[in-house]
Amino acid sequence: MGVQEIADKIRSRVASAGFEHSVKFDTGSDGVIVIDGATVSTTDAPTDCTVKLSLDDLDSLIAGDLNPTMAFMAGKLKVEGDMTVAMALSQLLG
């Protein structure tokens, strides 16, 4: 699944969630997904928190097949910036 398809899946979840932060999923050469409040885009922008992971791991995370805490502990994802934003996001996507 590509970045745009994953962004579309995320968009439906954040639209009514009341998420008030900004987060970037950085999948390296595959692209980025930026969540800013209820807006989801594939255009790079500064955010409160950046989560770096592979596109496959992001797909698994969104599908619910990859536990975000376990992925962090195993080094599959890295968080830069405000860790509390990443924690709030895990509740949103879980």
Side-chain angles (χ1 to χ4, degrees):
M1 185 174 303
V3 168
Q4 189 59 55
E5 291 87 356
I6 294 173
D8 292 341
K9 279 187 174 181
I10 293 172
R11 189 172 288 115
S12 64
R13 295 185 192 183
V14 301
S16 60
F19 189 68
E20 298 178 358
H21 305 284
S22 60
V23 177
K24 176 178 9 184
F25 288 107
D26 182 349
T27 62
S29 62
D30 289 313
V32 299
I33 297 174
V34 174
I35 302 170
D36 190 354
T39 305
V40 179
S41 134
T42 55
T43 304
D44 200 358
T47 56
D48 300 326
C49 177
T50 299
V51 178
K52 293 185 174 189
L53 72 171
S54 72
L55 187 61
D56 286 344
D57 286 339
L58 177 57
D59 189 22
S60 296
L61 186 72
I62 300 305
D65 298 331
L66 180 64
N67 178 296
T69 304
M70 297 306 288
F72 179 77
M73 299 299 252
K76 289 187 173 194
L77 67 83
K78 293 180 174 42
V79 178
E80 296 175 358
D82 190 340
M83 182 70 85
T84 59
V85 173
M87 300 298 281
L89 182 69
S90 72
Q91 297 301 310
L92 176 72
L93 299 178

